[in-house]
Amino acid sequence: MQSVDRALQLIEVMASKDHPVLLNELAKATGLNVSTCHHLLATLVTRGYAIHAGRSRGYTLSSKLGDLAALSSREFDICQFVHGDLEALNASLRESVQMAVLRDSLLITRLRFASHMPTHVEPDEVKKMRAAHATATGKAILAWLPETELARVVSNSGLAAFTPNTITSLSALIEELRMVRRSGFAVDDEELEADVVCFGAAIRDGTGAVLGSISVSLPKSRASEDYRTHVTNAVVQCAGKLSNRLRVGHF
């Protein structure tokens, strides 16, 4: 375990530099003797995690860690990751709970737990695919996208009006997304379907990248101010818990 810890220290030091680091500098930064440091670096070079840039230039990280992270991201099953927490949220609130992701420019619902209430009507998923601007799950994701990516999504999917409350201008959407970032949650207030409100929050990893979003929807008839606050808090807490687990790697 000590060798693993020391090797990780070396990786962290090299990752913090924008240039190759000399052996003596690495030994000093990690508190290791030069011989031990050299042995560990040789192993990292042999395994492809580090590059020896030359005796007078030192060591730097290779792209292997990034390649492994990309592979892990591709293989990561977000549905399995969020399933238990969303099931618990659904059981607690008894309202419709869903998780969505953005694929290219389309909003895709990957997981849903139906409402326990007979008065709730589930939305048309085909309709939702190009309605990121009119949904809580969509806005929770859009709020954290780079401006160029947001512009691409809007260009491809448009800003169609579904109800009189739907945001249909880019300037209004940008202002709405600014409020989402500030508050930490998104609201669909009868913007996709009349008489349906929805509250969503983003799931973000340790880099700040958005992997998806979760939301709870309910009929407007049950959406009193107190209940809105209760549901919003539950959604934000659930999304925060999932994001924190991603940051520390507890899958």
Side-chain angles (χ1 to χ4, degrees), residues 135-137 139-141 143-144 176-188 198-202 214 228-229 231-233 235-237 239:
T135 62
T137 47
K139 287 190 282 187
I141 294 173
W144 301 102
E176 175 82 355
L177 299 180
R178 185 182 67 81
M179 296 299 294
V180 172
R181 290 191 296 273
R182 176 183 294 180
S183 66
F185 63 89
V187 180
D188 159 14
C198 190
F199 308 91
I214 64 171
R228 282 173 177 249
T229 300
V231 171
T232 299
N233 288 340
V235 171
V236 170
Q237 288 174 13

Side-chain angles (χ1 to χ4, degrees), residues 189-247:
D189 202 347
E190 299 185 272
E191 296 167 51
L192 181 68
E193 300 281 356
D195 299 320
V196 177
V197 296
C198 190
F199 308 91
I203 303 170
R204 303 169 69 198
D205 67 15
T207 69
V210 180
L211 299 186
S213 62
I214 64 171
S215 67
V216 172
S217 56
L218 57 145
K220 185 180 180 182
S221 60
R222 287 203 295 275
S224 66
E225 284 302 315
D226 287 345
Y227 192 48
R228 282 173 177 249
T229 300
H230 174 67
V231 171
T232 299
N233 288 340
V235 171
V236 170
Q237 288 174 13
C238 184
K241 180 180 176 182
L242 291 166
S243 297
N244 287 335
R245 282 169 52 200
L246 283 169
R247 292 186 185 105

Side-chain angles (χ1 to χ4, degrees), residues 100-116:
V101 297
L102 195 66
R103 290 289 178 263
D104 191 22
S105 301
L106 302 178
L107 185 68
I108 309 296
T109 299
R110 292 286 308 280
L111 190 63
R112 176 186 295 282
F113 292 94
S115 172
H116 296 243

